[in-house]
Amino acid sequence: MQPLLEQACTETLIMVGWSTLIAVVLGLPIGVLLVLTDKGGLLQNSAVNKVTGQIVNIGRSMPFIILMVALMSFTRWVTGTTIGSAAAIVPLAIGGIPFFARLVETAVREVDHGLVEAVQSMGGNTWTIVRKVLVPEALPSLIASTTTTVIALIGYSAMAGTVGGGGLGDLAVRYGYQRFETGLMWITVGILAVVISLIQFAGDYSARSLHRRGARSGPGPRLRLLKAAKPATADVDKVA
């Protein structure tokens, strides 16, 4: 069993790792764009917001098994095959992008709008606000969102194994179900449970650490400078 389990674990890690990376890199700007183009946003544009939101909704509403089948031609064009862990990365990434984008949208909306207004008053443009305020302030929630995405993609990768995607799901189906190796199937279930628990613990710990660090450090240097400048101006007016 050991060689089979090692190979299956390696394939699952490769699938989930690459698909998570692609989902985060592409889902983060999409989620931020949904916030910026929404009503009252910095780049308010109802047409872009509705089109982008509808695409994200369609991607989220489609069951993963159906998504894999629908993307077979595209997967073959990208990877040259529809079987194996490399081919499974394509539907996993495409399924994870809208999922992560919605989580990013929720996280960014929680940022205090007063911080955005403060940076605007200091002449900060949209890119500065995104880079210096929205993303850093939402970072603990973004870490939690990434953790949720990784766990969801692990579940998706197990489904991909049922149609030849490789990994622990494929091992459980071929040996645990088709060959009645019940012990091997329960071992794969235990491995998945342990991996998910470790990922959840690491994500929760990182999010809490960032949240506590942000609470201790207080507002950023520019905001502290802005707050310090107001009393000074008031004192000058009082003396005059």
Side-chain angles (χ1 to χ4, degrees), residues 126-209:
T126 302
W127 170 244
T128 302
I129 292 172
V130 171
R131 189 166 54 93
K132 296 291 187 180
V133 178
L134 295 182
V135 173
E137 290 294 326
L139 193 56
S141 297
L142 292 177
I143 295 295
S145 301
T146 304
T147 303
T148 303
T149 303
V150 172
I151 293 174
L153 289 176
I154 291 176
Y156 289 167
S157 70
M159 288 187 236
T162 63
V163 290
L168 291 170
D170 178 58
L171 183 66
V173 171
R174 286 194 295 117
Y175 289 88
Y177 178 72
Q178 295 177 351
R179 301 187 184 184
F180 302 101
E181 295 284 349
T182 308
L184 184 59
M185 183 174 64
W186 282 111
I187 289 174
T188 58
V189 172
I191 291 174
L192 288 172
V194 171
V195 170
I196 289 174
S197 298
L198 291 175
I199 291 173
Q200 187 67 60
F201 173 79
D204 291 344
Y205 178 80
S206 300
R208 285 196 298 267
S209 298

Side-chain angles (χ1 to χ4, degrees), residues 45 90 106 121 172-173 176 186 233:
N45 190 317
V90 176
T106 302
S121 67
V173 171
W186 282 111
T233 305

Side-chain angles (χ1 to χ4, degrees), residues 28 32 35-36 42 104-142 210 214 217-224 226:
L28 179 61
V32 174
V35 176
L36 295 178
L42 298 174
V104 171
E105 181 188 10
T106 302
V108 173
R109 287 188 189 280
E110 295 176 355
V111 176
D112 186 4
H113 191 67
L115 298 176
V116 176
E117 293 177 346
V119 176
Q120 282 181 313
S121 67
M122 291 184 287
N125 56 22
T126 302
W127 170 244
T128 302
I129 292 172
V130 171
R131 189 166 54 93
K132 296 291 187 180
V133 178
L134 295 182
V135 173
E137 290 294 326
L139 193 56
S141 297
L142 292 177
L210 288 172
S217 61
R222 292 188 178 183
L223 299 181
R224 287 199 298 267
L226 179 66

Side-chain angles (χ1 to χ4, degrees), residues 25-47:
V25 170
L26 298 181
L28 179 61
I30 293 174
V32 174
L33 181 64
L34 288 171
V35 176
L36 295 178
T37 58
D38 199 7
K39 184 178 180 180
L42 298 174
L43 301 175
Q44 182 175 335
N45 190 317
S46 59

